[in-house]
């Protein structure tokens, strides 16, 4: 008999068990206790407070259960065992009672099983419950907060069903019953079960701790993992004004049915810039599968790293890849392999870092036999095409530049990993810094330094900020501004960590750097050799050849790679590919073996946007020039273009005026450093001139329009790293363009800072188009220095919120030759519209204002209408899809009575309805400028159309009234079209 005394004796162990996992595990314990009626609903509510430390909640739970008596204590212990073992809860009964008198109680009785059943379907169920009116949009958004996992969202939906008396509980019972039952194993063979257990254990061990960025500590992935922004890729040719923003997905929706490019393909492609979190996303996927919390439709998950696969020189088969280079079956190898071949739909293979695979994708060589050996590249390419293990799912991660059109033909879904949102940055820092007040101080420091804040949307920078938080908080307002600044700060952090305690007070001075110079040059030579040979993992022999010893490894810049060969010694790799590029740049800046002339190869690299022939010819010229194998020039020529571009930007930053003094203290011959600096300036200026010369001339009589080439952003980033005003001014001195287009260019806040640094020196006003990027509110803040030379700004689909409205209002108020502002498909609400309206009141030049696809609502429409009543220049206004009803329409009607400049008003996709249309009709009677009024899809009936017809009798200025998609019968449509041809039905 379990006693309360025994329970008390185990209290400390129970607290440890309850807090050792994540909040997810604690909530699973609560699920069991609710279903067994150990906890009342009031008890549960007191134990489900957001923001409370799990340790506090765990102790409160123990106190609550102890008061229930011995039976409650015994059941709590059982619930902890169930959760720790991660056992499957009892399956739901075969059928629910059709008209259960107590649906909420039924949901509670089967809560663990229902949570598991809802796990992979919670997003669809939320959509359905909102569509049926059981929950409001606000309640749905609260449940979908990014801090919640799918299981936590399921629990909050069940919690809502308990307190709402509108039939939600009964509806959920029906929905859950209709959801598919998790698939059972298709085999009962002992060898397969043993293999699956071994595979789960191995994947769990590899994924439980995050060591991607640091070898000096192990971070529990569950404790710090923060969701990135993951979007379904939008085709560039679909950028119409009514296009929806790309759908965002949670990790557990990776295999969603949305956004399929090729239904016959099996590969999900996840693209993202270096440092955007691709490897960590895969690691979280592996952990969720291994712990049984998600992706259970797959029985087998095989993780691979492309940078390690490319090191395999011997031919290999599917058998060899899965068994010898991932997980070996101890029993019945042939039986296990046959199960894999018979059930490929239950297999998931993940390949991380395709951009680090030195072989270019081709679909010319077919290989279909799973037991026949072939080269590693042929094996991988045929797996991705489905020639091998057809119907097995594959997830491939890559930087976007490495993805060719031929590879995209074999992709089922392409997703863009955009890095952290602003909320994600703060959430990550709060997870990393749990000491009272520390996270808040760090977040305040970031908010006060916009340049540093703008870098942190890439998780690798958020990690560096977290790692260097003490240095940042003690710097007294002097914060890193460029990427190079940040990497020098992390360099200082690691060097000081390995130095005597009294060194910390001096920071990254010449003494610290000079004392570590030989070590840094060894690491730099290894990094450069790796880039030049497309090698990113290093064996002991390669480390020895680069003179990197164990003491230098212990600094922490090199970490153990996750080996693909079980039992072998894990090779070493740099913390991140950007660190490898940084050390290569450091070597180029300070090594005596670097001839300044070799740096031109760094700035002449051919990006993916260039012709493949250009790259081939460049390599042939290098070979013909007698370039010595292994020389700096040869290594630069052999490196991948995207890595060269990162290295070039770092070199520009290291050789900037700000850091040249630091490097000069370490350089025996300062002249050599000056030569390299001059050569870098010269090469960068030449590359920019060459880029601008490639722009076709303008059509006579029209402003010159430029769509930036892929290398433009990189060159601008390099200029920004160098921080030389004169060079930036010279770079754009002869650039004569009227419209600069940078759509679909992965422009984030950091790129905005670089653009502003350079473009503010333009001599002529320019229209800047940045549609379909990730500018965000932070990016708008970074753009402010160059907005003075902008005559138009296009920011369609850029994750803008009300936070950018003050900057936009200031722009409108202060710049009186500003012509167009288009902010469609963002997240601006009534509050943002009210701020914009303040700027509009002081503006007398704006001609085009686009706010389609936001949520300004009636209140926002009222504010804009009041501001535009006397506006004399605005010709076009779009408020499509803004949740505007009759109240907003009435305000716009009053604006039409006063405004005699507006020529086109777009109000499609709202809910103006007849009441709002009648108001607009009265406004039209007094208006003499409007030519086009768009009212499609607004719930208008013949009553509203009749009011418009009466207004049109008194208005001969208007040319078109769009009424498509409203509630007219075919007979009414026919009749109305004959009465006035200006009605477009």
């Amino acid at each position: 008999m379990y006693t309360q005394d025994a329970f008390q004796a185990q209290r400390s162990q129970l607290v440890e068990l309850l807090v050792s996992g994540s909040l997810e595990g604690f909530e699973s314990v609560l699920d069991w206790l609710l279903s067994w009626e150990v906890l009342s609903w009031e008890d549960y509510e007191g134990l489900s407070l957001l923001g409370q430390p799990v340790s506090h909640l765990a102790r409160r739970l123990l106190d609550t259960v102890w008061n229930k008596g011995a039976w409650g204590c015994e059941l709590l212990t059982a619930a902890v065992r169930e959760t720790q073992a991660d056992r499957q809860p009892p399956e739901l009964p075969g059928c629910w009672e059709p008209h259960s008198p107590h649906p909420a109680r039924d949901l509670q009785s089967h809560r663990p099983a229902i949570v598991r059943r809802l796990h992979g379907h919670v997003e669809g169920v939320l959509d359905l419950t909102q569509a049926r009116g059981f929950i409001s949009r606000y309640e749905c958004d609260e449940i979908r907060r990014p801090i919640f996992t799918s299981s936590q969202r399921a629990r909050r939906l069940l919690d809502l069903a308990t307190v709402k008396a509108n039939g939600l509980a009964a509806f959920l019972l029906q929905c859950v019953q209709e959801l598919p039952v998790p698939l059972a194993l298709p085999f009962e063979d002992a060898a397969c079960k043993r293999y699956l257990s071994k595979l789960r254990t191995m994947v769990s061990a590899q994924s439980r701790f995050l060591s991607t960025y640091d070898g000096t500590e192990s971070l529990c992935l569950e404790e710090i993992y923060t969701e990135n922004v993951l979007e379904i890729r939008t085709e560039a040719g679909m950028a119409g004004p009514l296009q929806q923003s790309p759908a965002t997905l949670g990790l557990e929706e990776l295999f969603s049915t949305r956004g399929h490019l090729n239904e016959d393909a099996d590969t999900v492609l996840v693209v993202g810039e270096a440092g955007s979190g691709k490897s960590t996303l895969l690691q979280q996927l592996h952990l969720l599968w291994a712990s049984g919390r998600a992706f259970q439709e797959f029985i087998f998950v095989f993780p691979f790293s492309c940078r390690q696969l490319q090191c395999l020189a011997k031919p290999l088969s599917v058998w060899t890849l899965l068994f010898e280079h991932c997980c070996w079956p101890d029993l019945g190898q042939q039986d296990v392999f046959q199960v894999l071949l018979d059930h490929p739909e239950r297999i998931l293979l993940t390949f991380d870092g395709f951009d680090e695979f030195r072989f270019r994708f081709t679909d010319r060589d077919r290989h279909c036999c799973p037991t026949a050996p072939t080269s590693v590249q042929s094996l991988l390419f045929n797996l991705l095409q489905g020639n091998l293990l057809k119907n097995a799912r594959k997830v491939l991660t890559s930087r976007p530049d490495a993805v060719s059109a031929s590879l995209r033909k074999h992709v089922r879904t392409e997703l863009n990993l955009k890095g952290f949102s602003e909320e994600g940055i703060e959430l990550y820092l709060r997870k990393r810094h749990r000491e009272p007040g520390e996270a808040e101080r760090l977040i305040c420091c970031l908010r006060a330094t916009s340049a540093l804040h703008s870098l942190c949307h890439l998780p690798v920078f958020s990690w560096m900020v977290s790692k260097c938080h003490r240095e940042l908080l003690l710097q007294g307002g002097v914060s890193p501004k460029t990427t190079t600044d940040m990497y020098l700060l992390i360099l200082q952090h690691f060097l000081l960590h390995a130095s005597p305690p009294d060194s910390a007070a001096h920071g990254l001075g010449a003494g610290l750097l000079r004392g570590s110079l030989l070590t840094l040059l060894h690491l730099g030579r290894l990094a450069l050799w790796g880039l030049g040979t497309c090698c990113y993992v290093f064996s002991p022999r390669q480390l020895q050849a680069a003179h990197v010893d164990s003491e230098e490894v212990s600094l922490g810049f090199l970490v153990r790679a996750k080996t693909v060969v079980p039992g072998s010694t894990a090779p070493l790799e740099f913390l991140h590919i950007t660190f490898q590029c940084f050390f290569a740049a450091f070597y180029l800046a300070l090594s005596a073996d670097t001839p300044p002339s070799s740096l031109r190869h760094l700035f002449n690299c051919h990006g993916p946007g260039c012709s493949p022939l250009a790259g081939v010819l460049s390599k042939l010229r290098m070979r013909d020039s007698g370039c010595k194998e292994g020389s700096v020039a040869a290594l630069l020529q052999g490196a991948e273009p995207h890595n060269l571009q990162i290295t070039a930007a770092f070199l520009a930053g290291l050789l900037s005026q700000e850091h040249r003094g630091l490097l000069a203290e370490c350089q025996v011959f300062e002249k050599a450093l000056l030569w390299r600096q001059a050569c870098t300036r010269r090469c960068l200026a030449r590359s920019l001139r060459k880029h601008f010369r490639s722009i076709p001339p303008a059509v006579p009589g029209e402003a010159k329009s430029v769509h930036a080439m892929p290398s433009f952003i990189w060159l601008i980033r390099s200029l920004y790293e160098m921080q030389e005003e004169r060079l930036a001014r010279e770079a754009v001195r002869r650039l004569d363009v009227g419209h600069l287009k940078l759509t679909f260019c992965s422009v984030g806040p950091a790129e905005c800072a670089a653009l502003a640094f350079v473009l503010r020196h333009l001599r002529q006003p320019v229209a800047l188009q940045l549609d379909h990027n990730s500018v965000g509110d932070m990016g708008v803040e970074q753009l402010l220095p160059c907005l003075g030379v902008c005559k138009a700004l296009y920011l369609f689909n850029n994750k803008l919120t009300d936070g950018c409205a003050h900057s936009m209002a200031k722009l409108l108020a202060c710049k009186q030759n500003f012509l167009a502002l288009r902010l469609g498909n963002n997240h601006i609400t009534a509050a943002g519209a009210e701020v914009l309206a303040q700027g509009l009141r002081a503006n007398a030049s704006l001609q085009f204002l686009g706010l389609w696809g936001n949520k300004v609502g009636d209140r926002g429409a009222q504010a804009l209408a009041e501001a535009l009543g006397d506006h004399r220049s605005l010709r076009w206004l779009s408020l499509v899809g803004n949740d505007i009803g009759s109240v907003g329409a009435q305000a716009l009607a009053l604006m039409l009575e006063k405004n005699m400049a507006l020529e086109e008003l777009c109000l499609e996709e709202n809910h103006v309805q007849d009441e709002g249309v009648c108001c607009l009709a009265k406004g039209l009677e007094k208006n003499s400028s409007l030519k086009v009024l768009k009212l499609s899809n607004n719930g208008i009936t013949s009553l509203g159309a009749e009011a418009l017809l009466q207004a049109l009798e008194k208005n001969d200025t208007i040319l078109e009234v769009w009424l498509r998609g409203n509630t007219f019968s075919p007979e009414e449509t026919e009749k109305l079209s004959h009465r006035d041809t200006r009605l477009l039905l």
Side-chain angles (χ1 to χ4, degrees), residues 143 200 213 279 294 319 342 408 413 484 629 656 751 785 806 846 921 947 952 964 977 979:
I143 292 173
R200 281 189 185 273
Y213 298 146
S279 298
W319 168 295
D342 291 344
R408 278 196 169 96
T413 309
T484 308
E629 184 179 355
S656 65
E751 288 74 23
H806 286 283
L846 193 70
L952 290 178
R964 300 183 181 97
S977 62
R979 290 183 62 184

PDB file of all heavy atoms in Angstrom, residues 143 200 213 279 294 319 342 408 413 484 629 656 751 785 806 846 921 947 952 964 977 979:
ATOM      1  N   ILE A 143      -4.796  30.288 -28.957  1.00  0.00           N
ATOM      2  CA  ILE A 143      -4.388  28.880 -28.941  1.00  0.00           C
ATOM      3  C   ILE A 143      -3.183  28.659 -29.851  1.00  0.00           C
ATOM      4  O   ILE A 143      -2.312  27.831 -29.574  1.00  0.00           O
ATOM      5  CB  ILE A 143      -5.569  27.975 -29.371  1.00  0.00           C
ATOM      6  CG1 ILE A 143      -6.671  28.012 -28.305  1.00  0.00           C
ATOM      7  CG2 ILE A 143      -5.115  26.539 -29.599  1.00  0.00           C
ATOM      8  CD1 ILE A 143      -7.941  27.301 -28.708  1.00  0.00           C
ATOM      9  N   ARG A 200      15.633   4.390 -32.709  1.00  0.00           N
ATOM     10  CA  ARG A 200      15.074   5.490 -31.905  1.00  0.00           C
ATOM     11  C   ARG A 200      16.074   5.957 -30.850  1.00  0.00           C
ATOM     12  O   ARG A 200      16.233   7.155 -30.610  1.00  0.00           O
ATOM     13  CB  ARG A 200      13.777   5.046 -31.223  1.00  0.00           C
ATOM     14  CG  ARG A 200      12.563   5.055 -32.126  1.00  0.00           C
ATOM     15  CD  ARG A 200      11.290   4.820 -31.320  1.00  0.00           C
ATOM     16  NE  ARG A 200      10.130   4.707 -32.176  1.00  0.00           N
ATOM     17  CZ  ARG A 200       9.405   5.733 -32.588  1.00  0.00           C
ATOM     18  NH1 ARG A 200       9.735   6.963 -32.225  1.00  0.00           N
ATOM     19  NH2 ARG A 200       8.365   5.548 -33.372  1.00  0.00           N
ATOM     20  N   TYR A 213      26.443  25.026 -32.348  1.00  0.00           N
ATOM     21  CA  TYR A 213      27.184  26.286 -32.298  1.00  0.00           C
ATOM     22  C   TYR A 213      28.228  26.354 -31.191  1.00  0.00           C
ATOM     23  O   TYR A 213      28.873  27.360 -31.031  1.00  0.00           O
ATOM     24  CB  TYR A 213      26.205  27.446 -32.093  1.00  0.00           C
ATOM     25  CG  TYR A 213      25.197  27.619 -33.191  1.00  0.00           C
ATOM     26  CD1 TYR A 213      23.921  28.063 -32.913  1.00  0.00           C
ATOM     27  CD2 TYR A 213      25.520  27.339 -34.507  1.00  0.00           C
ATOM     28  CE1 TYR A 213      22.990  28.231 -33.911  1.00  0.00           C
ATOM     29  CE2 TYR A 213      24.592  27.501 -35.507  1.00  0.00           C
ATOM     30  CZ  TYR A 213      23.324  27.950 -35.208  1.00  0.00           C
ATOM     31  OH  TYR A 213      22.400  28.118 -36.189  1.00  0.00           O
ATOM     32  N   SER A 279      19.588  23.259 -39.697  1.00  0.00           N
ATOM     33  CA  SER A 279      20.061  22.048 -39.012  1.00  0.00           C
ATOM     34  C   SER A 279      19.321  21.834 -37.703  1.00  0.00           C
ATOM     35  O   SER A 279      18.972  20.698 -37.349  1.00  0.00           O
ATOM     36  CB  SER A 279      21.570  22.162 -38.740  1.00  0.00           C
ATOM     37  OG  SER A 279      22.286  22.274 -39.958  1.00  0.00           O
ATOM     38  N   ALA A 294       5.695  13.226 -32.347  1.00  0.00           N
ATOM     39  CA  ALA A 294       5.258  13.706 -33.663  1.00  0.00           C
ATOM     40  C   ALA A 294       5.889  12.835 -34.739  1.00  0.00           C
ATOM     41  O   ALA A 294       6.811  12.063 -34.483  1.00  0.00           O
ATOM     42  CB  ALA A 294       5.645  15.169 -33.865  1.00  0.00           C
ATOM     43  N   TRP A 319      21.313  -0.297 -49.013  1.00  0.00           N
ATOM     44  CA  TRP A 319      21.636  -1.141 -47.850  1.00  0.00           C
ATOM     45  C   TRP A 319      22.808  -0.536 -47.077  1.00  0.00           C
ATOM     46  O   TRP A 319      22.752  -0.356 -45.859  1.00  0.00           O
ATOM     47  CB  TRP A 319      21.951  -2.555 -48.343  1.00  0.00           C
ATOM     48  CG  TRP A 319      22.577  -3.481 -47.315  1.00  0.00           C
ATOM     49  CD1 TRP A 319      23.790  -3.358 -46.713  1.00  0.00           C
ATOM     50  CD2 TRP A 319      21.990  -4.679 -46.770  1.00  0.00           C
ATOM     51  NE1 TRP A 319      24.012  -4.380 -45.857  1.00  0.00           N
ATOM     52  CE2 TRP A 319      22.924  -5.218 -45.857  1.00  0.00           C
ATOM     53  CE3 TRP A 319      20.796  -5.346 -46.980  1.00  0.00           C
ATOM     54  CZ2 TRP A 319      22.699  -6.393 -45.149  1.00  0.00           C
ATOM     55  CZ3 TRP A 319      20.558  -6.518 -46.274  1.00  0.00           C
ATOM     56  CH2 TRP A 319      21.499  -7.029 -45.372  1.00  0.00           C
ATOM     57  N   ASP A 342       9.508  -3.057 -48.589  1.00  0.00           N
ATOM     58  CA  ASP A 342       8.071  -3.310 -48.734  1.00  0.00           C
ATOM     59  C   ASP A 342       7.224  -2.141 -48.260  1.00  0.00           C
ATOM     60  O   ASP A 342       6.074  -1.992 -48.684  1.00  0.00           O
ATOM     61  CB  ASP A 342       7.674  -4.561 -47.926  1.00  0.00           C
ATOM     62  CG  ASP A 342       8.241  -5.833 -48.539  1.00  0.00           C
ATOM     63  OD1 ASP A 342       8.655  -5.787 -49.719  1.00  0.00           O
ATOM     64  OD2 ASP A 342       8.300  -6.851 -47.823  1.00  0.00           O
ATOM     65  N   ARG A 408      14.555  21.263 -58.545  1.00  0.00           N
ATOM     66  CA  ARG A 408      13.196  21.673 -58.157  1.00  0.00           C
ATOM     67  C   ARG A 408      12.124  20.841 -58.870  1.00  0.00           C
ATOM     68  O   ARG A 408      11.008  20.710 -58.361  1.00  0.00           O
ATOM     69  CB  ARG A 408      12.985  23.157 -58.470  1.00  0.00           C
ATOM     70  CG  ARG A 408      13.554  24.081 -57.397  1.00  0.00           C
ATOM     71  CD  ARG A 408      13.015  25.498 -57.509  1.00  0.00           C
ATOM     72  NE  ARG A 408      13.366  26.260 -56.325  1.00  0.00           N
ATOM     73  CZ  ARG A 408      14.428  27.055 -56.242  1.00  0.00           C
ATOM     74  NH1 ARG A 408      15.228  27.195 -57.284  1.00  0.00           N
ATOM     75  NH2 ARG A 408      14.676  27.719 -55.130  1.00  0.00           N
ATOM     76  N   THR A 413       7.279  19.836 -52.162  1.00  0.00           N
ATOM     77  CA  THR A 413       6.968  21.102 -51.512  1.00  0.00           C
ATOM     78  C   THR A 413       8.270  21.824 -51.217  1.00  0.00           C
ATOM     79  O   THR A 413       9.240  21.197 -50.782  1.00  0.00           O
ATOM     80  CB  THR A 413       6.218  20.886 -50.180  1.00  0.00           C
ATOM     81  OG1 THR A 413       5.104  20.025 -50.387  1.00  0.00           O
ATOM     82  CG2 THR A 413       5.729  22.209 -49.611  1.00  0.00           C
ATOM     83  N   THR A 484      30.803  41.532 -39.094  1.00  0.00           N
ATOM     84  CA  THR A 484      32.197  41.357 -38.672  1.00  0.00           C
ATOM     85  C   THR A 484      32.374  41.760 -37.223  1.00  0.00           C
ATOM     86  O   THR A 484      33.080  41.090 -36.461  1.00  0.00           O
ATOM     87  CB  THR A 484      33.131  42.191 -39.567  1.00  0.00           C
ATOM     88  OG1 THR A 484      32.859  41.896 -40.945  1.00  0.00           O
ATOM     89  CG2 THR A 484      34.588  41.881 -39.270  1.00  0.00           C
ATOM     90  N   GLU A 629      48.863  24.470 -57.180  1.00  0.00           N
ATOM     91  CA  GLU A 629      47.855  23.747 -56.417  1.00  0.00           C
ATOM     92  C   GLU A 629      48.069  23.975 -54.925  1.00  0.00           C
ATOM     93  O   GLU A 629      49.182  23.874 -54.423  1.00  0.00           O
ATOM     94  CB  GLU A 629      47.929  22.251 -56.731  1.00  0.00           C
ATOM     95  CG  GLU A 629      46.841  21.432 -56.059  1.00  0.00           C
ATOM     96  CD  GLU A 629      46.916  19.957 -56.407  1.00  0.00           C
ATOM     97  OE1 GLU A 629      47.763  19.595 -57.251  1.00  0.00           O
ATOM     98  OE2 GLU A 629      46.149  19.187 -55.826  1.00  0.00           O
ATOM     99  N   SER A 656      38.409  47.030 -42.709  1.00  0.00           N
ATOM    100  CA  SER A 656      37.824  48.366 -42.591  1.00  0.00           C
ATOM    101  C   SER A 656      38.695  49.253 -41.714  1.00  0.00           C
ATOM    102  O   SER A 656      39.556  48.770 -40.970  1.00  0.00           O
ATOM    103  CB  SER A 656      36.420  48.253 -41.971  1.00  0.00           C
ATOM    104  OG  SER A 656      36.510  47.781 -40.638  1.00  0.00           O
ATOM    105  N   GLU A 751      20.142  43.232 -44.356  1.00  0.00           N
ATOM    106  CA  GLU A 751      20.336  43.703 -45.733  1.00  0.00           C
ATOM    107  C   GLU A 751      19.800  45.122 -45.900  1.00  0.00           C
ATOM    108  O   GLU A 751      20.344  45.916 -46.672  1.00  0.00           O
ATOM    109  CB  GLU A 751      19.646  42.764 -46.713  1.00  0.00           C
ATOM    110  CG  GLU A 751      20.317  41.403 -46.890  1.00  0.00           C
ATOM    111  CD  GLU A 751      20.119  40.467 -45.716  1.00  0.00           C
ATOM    112  OE1 GLU A 751      19.136  40.651 -44.960  1.00  0.00           O
ATOM    113  OE2 GLU A 751      20.957  39.566 -45.528  1.00  0.00           O
ATOM    114  N   PRO A 785      17.669  55.862 -43.104  1.00  0.00           N
ATOM    115  CA  PRO A 785      18.661  56.797 -43.645  1.00  0.00           C
ATOM    116  C   PRO A 785      18.583  57.000 -45.158  1.00  0.00           C
ATOM    117  O   PRO A 785      19.020  58.038 -45.661  1.00  0.00           O
ATOM    118  CB  PRO A 785      20.006  56.154 -43.258  1.00  0.00           C
ATOM    119  CG  PRO A 785      19.691  55.308 -42.069  1.00  0.00           C
ATOM    120  CD  PRO A 785      18.311  54.794 -42.307  1.00  0.00           C
ATOM    121  N   HIS A 806       4.924  54.498 -37.469  1.00  0.00           N
ATOM    122  CA  HIS A 806       5.500  55.798 -37.108  1.00  0.00           C
ATOM    123  C   HIS A 806       6.572  56.219 -38.115  1.00  0.00           C
ATOM    124  O   HIS A 806       6.640  57.395 -38.505  1.00  0.00           O
ATOM    125  CB  HIS A 806       6.086  55.739 -35.693  1.00  0.00           C
ATOM    126  CG  HIS A 806       5.055  55.721 -34.614  1.00  0.00           C
ATOM    127  ND1 HIS A 806       4.379  56.851 -34.211  1.00  0.00           N
ATOM    128  CD2 HIS A 806       4.553  54.692 -33.875  1.00  0.00           C
ATOM    129  CE1 HIS A 806       3.519  56.537 -33.257  1.00  0.00           C
ATOM    130  NE2 HIS A 806       3.601  55.224 -33.036  1.00  0.00           N
ATOM    131  N   LEU A 846       1.683  62.592 -52.235  1.00  0.00           N
ATOM    132  CA  LEU A 846       1.424  61.164 -52.457  1.00  0.00           C
ATOM    133  C   LEU A 846       0.325  60.966 -53.503  1.00  0.00           C
ATOM    134  O   LEU A 846      -0.737  61.572 -53.433  1.00  0.00           O
ATOM    135  CB  LEU A 846       1.011  60.495 -51.147  1.00  0.00           C
ATOM    136  CG  LEU A 846       1.019  58.962 -51.160  1.00  0.00           C
ATOM    137  CD1 LEU A 846       2.440  58.421 -51.226  1.00  0.00           C
ATOM    138  CD2 LEU A 846       0.305  58.407 -49.925  1.00  0.00           C
ATOM    139  N   ALA A 921     -22.798  55.413 -52.608  1.00  0.00           N
ATOM    140  CA  ALA A 921     -23.570  55.967 -53.720  1.00  0.00           C
ATOM    141  C   ALA A 921     -23.862  57.445 -53.498  1.00  0.00           C
ATOM    142  O   ALA A 921     -23.767  58.263 -54.426  1.00  0.00           O
ATOM    143  CB  ALA A 921     -24.863  55.183 -53.894  1.00  0.00           C
ATOM    144  N   ALA A 947     -29.005  51.467 -55.659  1.00  0.00           N
ATOM    145  CA  ALA A 947     -28.499  52.754 -55.158  1.00  0.00           C
ATOM    146  C   ALA A 947     -27.351  53.258 -56.035  1.00  0.00           C
ATOM    147  O   ALA A 947     -27.248  54.462 -56.325  1.00  0.00           O
ATOM    148  CB  ALA A 947     -28.037  52.593 -53.713  1.00  0.00           C
ATOM    149  N   LEU A 952     -25.128  56.800 -60.459  1.00  0.00           N
ATOM    150  CA  LEU A 952     -24.504  56.896 -61.779  1.00  0.00           C
ATOM    151  C   LEU A 952     -25.294  57.807 -62.718  1.00  0.00           C
ATOM    152  O   LEU A 952     -24.710  58.410 -63.645  1.00  0.00           O
ATOM    153  CB  LEU A 952     -24.360  55.499 -62.387  1.00  0.00           C
ATOM    154  CG  LEU A 952     -23.331  54.579 -61.725  1.00  0.00           C
ATOM    155  CD1 LEU A 952     -23.324  53.210 -62.392  1.00  0.00           C
ATOM    156  CD2 LEU A 952     -21.934  55.185 -61.774  1.00  0.00           C
ATOM    157  N   ARG A 964     -18.343  42.238 -59.337  1.00  0.00           N
ATOM    158  CA  ARG A 964     -18.242  40.787 -59.492  1.00  0.00           C
ATOM    159  C   ARG A 964     -18.203  40.101 -58.118  1.00  0.00           C
ATOM    160  O   ARG A 964     -17.697  40.657 -57.149  1.00  0.00           O
ATOM    161  CB  ARG A 964     -16.979  40.419 -60.276  1.00  0.00           C
ATOM    162  CG  ARG A 964     -16.933  41.023 -61.677  1.00  0.00           C
ATOM    163  CD  ARG A 964     -15.682  40.567 -62.429  1.00  0.00           C
ATOM    164  NE  ARG A 964     -15.603  41.154 -63.759  1.00  0.00           N
ATOM    165  CZ  ARG A 964     -14.895  42.233 -64.056  1.00  0.00           C
ATOM    166  NH1 ARG A 964     -14.203  42.858 -63.109  1.00  0.00           N
ATOM    167  NH2 ARG A 964     -14.870  42.718 -65.283  1.00  0.00           N
ATOM    168  N   SER A 977     -26.708  44.623 -65.985  1.00  0.00           N
ATOM    169  CA  SER A 977     -25.708  44.924 -67.010  1.00  0.00           C
ATOM    170  C   SER A 977     -26.310  45.705 -68.171  1.00  0.00           C
ATOM    171  O   SER A 977     -25.617  46.494 -68.820  1.00  0.00           O
ATOM    172  CB  SER A 977     -25.055  43.638 -67.509  1.00  0.00           C
ATOM    173  OG  SER A 977     -26.026  42.799 -68.104  1.00  0.00           O
ATOM    174  N   ARG A 979     -28.824  47.872 -67.815  1.00  0.00           N
ATOM    175  CA  ARG A 979     -29.250  49.192 -67.363  1.00  0.00           C
ATOM    176  C   ARG A 979     -28.119  50.208 -67.406  1.00  0.00           C
ATOM    177  O   ARG A 979     -28.347  51.386 -67.644  1.00  0.00           O
ATOM    178  CB  ARG A 979     -29.834  49.091 -65.955  1.00  0.00           C
ATOM    179  CG  ARG A 979     -31.178  48.356 -65.918  1.00  0.00           C
ATOM    180  CD  ARG A 979     -31.766  48.339 -64.538  1.00  0.00           C
ATOM    181  NE  ARG A 979     -32.048  49.688 -64.036  1.00  0.00           N
ATOM    182  CZ  ARG A 979     -32.503  49.949 -62.803  1.00  0.00           C
ATOM    183  NH1 ARG A 979     -32.711  48.933 -61.970  1.00  0.00           N
ATOM    184  NH2 ARG A 979     -32.738  51.176 -62.422  1.00  0.00           N
TER     185      ARG A 979
END
